[in-house]
Amino acid sequence: AVSIDKPLLTPVEYGYRSTSPTNIWRSFLAVLLSDVFKTAIVAFLIAAGVTLLSKCLTGKAASSALSNIYNNISTKLKKFAAVITKSSRAKPVDRPVPMPFEGDGGWGKCTLRSKKNVGTSPFTVYEFALPKPEYNIPLALGQQVDFCCLSSDDDICMGSFYPYEVGNESGSIQRGVLKIVVPDSESVEKNAAQVGMGNSKFIEVLKDEMHTGDEIAIKPGKSFLQYNGKHVPVTDMVCVASGLGIVPIVDQVKSISPKGTSSVKTTSVVWINENRSDFDLAMDELEKEYMKYSTKLAVSCIM
């Protein structure tokens, strides 16, 4: 299988095969602009100046003058070094923490935080709070999240959904929350036509019985993005979607479009819906990605 969300060449291999003069010049320029190099140059100039003064001046007055100059320069140099050290000191990076799934069967838990409609479309976004604000759910591209809860009749209801990350910047990691988008039809059959009967029953419980603050079990689900073909590397992709099928495609487009992130050179997205309002689900997001990568991305919306 080939993972299309990663470059076929690792960073090490890519650096080895790239033109060496450019890399050497960039490294040399980085050294020249570094704070350490600037500090060394200043210290060298000061030492050279003191040495020249000592040769030009003689006697006790000269020694006293040189001593004062040396003390003043040493004090200022220490202050300068302290400022450079403080400014160049690495700041702590606020990194996301992978959420542990230590319950029976590899389950964790989240809490229903809110729900809201997506524009005028027949879809609703449910937002869940993870146990800690720094947690994120480590998912591969094309991987779903499994949900499990009890209905009012004590029936076990399960559903699997792709995370809804519309609105997030490319490459950013969503922390502390998990969002999913589901169809909001009154008919179980209509919802089942889009997400399957099992997911439809879970949506019914989520909509009618779950309230803000209620806990739901979650765990990473199956991944559905694998390429087992013979033609590698993958350079061109055509994605066809309808309704909620656009959700994982948007995530995929945001992952493979930035330069150097994959072998894919061009991506064509064809999104088919029955109603104009259905495009509210991700139209703005697709348009934003197209404006950034218009030479690599083509988007067609068909009604």
Side-chain angles (χ1 to χ4, degrees), residues 16 30 45 67 82 111 224-225 235 240 280 287 289:
Y16 173 78
L45 293 175
S67 178
T111 305
F224 292 92
L225 184 59
T235 57
V240 182
D280 290 347
E287 184 178 2
E289 293 302 308

Side-chain angles (χ1 to χ4, degrees), residues 27-44 77 79-91:
S27 300
F28 180 70
L29 186 61
V31 171
L32 291 179
L33 296 177
S34 66
D35 291 334
V36 175
F37 182 80
K38 293 176 183 177
T39 305
I41 291 296
V42 172
F44 172 78
L77 191 58
K79 290 181 179 179
F80 178 74
V83 171
I84 293 297
T85 303
K86 184 177 180 181
S87 63
S88 61
R89 185 176 299 163
K91 296 181 179 179

Side-chain angles (χ1 to χ4, degrees), residues 100 102 107:
E102 301 173 339
W107 291 91

Side-chain angles (χ1 to χ4, degrees), residues 235-256:
T235 57
D236 302 278
M237 292 185 61
V238 178
C239 306
V240 182
S242 177
L244 285 173
I246 197 64
V247 173
I249 289 179
V250 169
D251 188 28
Q252 181 178 345
V253 167
K254 292 167 69 174
S255 297
I256 66 176

Side-chain angles (χ1 to χ4, degrees), residues 1 52 172 205 221 241:
L52 289 175
S172 66
V205 174

Side-chain angles (χ1 to χ4, degrees), residues 103-233:
D104 294 339
W107 291 91
K109 65 180 181 179
C110 63
T111 305
L112 179 60
R113 176 185 286 181
S114 65
K115 62 178 180 179
K116 64 178 180 180
N117 295 328
V118 182
T120 60
S121 71
F123 302 105
T124 301
V125 174
Y126 286 84
E127 182 175 304
F128 302 89
L130 302 181
K132 293 184 179 181
E134 65 270 20
Y135 278 173
N136 81 295
I137 301 178
L139 297 173
L141 191 62
Q143 188 174 6
Q144 294 183 326
V145 178
D146 292 339
F147 291 78
C148 183
C149 66
L150 290 177
S151 68
S152 57
D153 298 327
D154 289 336
D155 293 329
I156 297 177
C157 297
M158 300 183 66
S160 299
F161 303 93
Y162 292 103
Y164 183 65
E165 298 188 356
V166 169
N168 294 349
E169 291 296 325
S170 300
S172 66
I173 300 177
Q174 192 167 257
R175 291 182 296 179
V177 297
L178 168 67
K179 297 178 183 178
I180 62 171
V181 60
V182 301
D184 194 20
S185 174
E186 296 294 335
S187 170
V188 175
E189 289 74 19
K190 287 184 178 181
N191 288 338
Q194 294 199 57
V195 296
M197 185 55 70
N199 286 343
S200 181
K201 291 181 179 179
F202 174 82
I203 292 172
E204 186 178 9
V205 174
L206 184 63
K207 177 182 177 182
D208 299 332
E209 301 181 20
M210 301 299 292
H211 304 285
T212 302
D214 289 347
E215 291 185 347
I216 298 178
I218 58 171
K219 70 176 181 179
K222 295 181 179 180
S223 179
F224 292 92
L225 184 59
Q226 278 191 334
Y227 175 71
N228 298 306
K230 298 179 180 180
H231 301 286
V232 292

Side-chain angles (χ1 to χ4, degrees), residues 14-29:
Y14 185 82
Y16 173 78
R17 298 189 181 191
S18 60
T19 55
S20 55
T22 302
N23 291 339
I24 294 174
W25 170 248
R26 288 177 179 173
S27 300
F28 180 70
L29 186 61

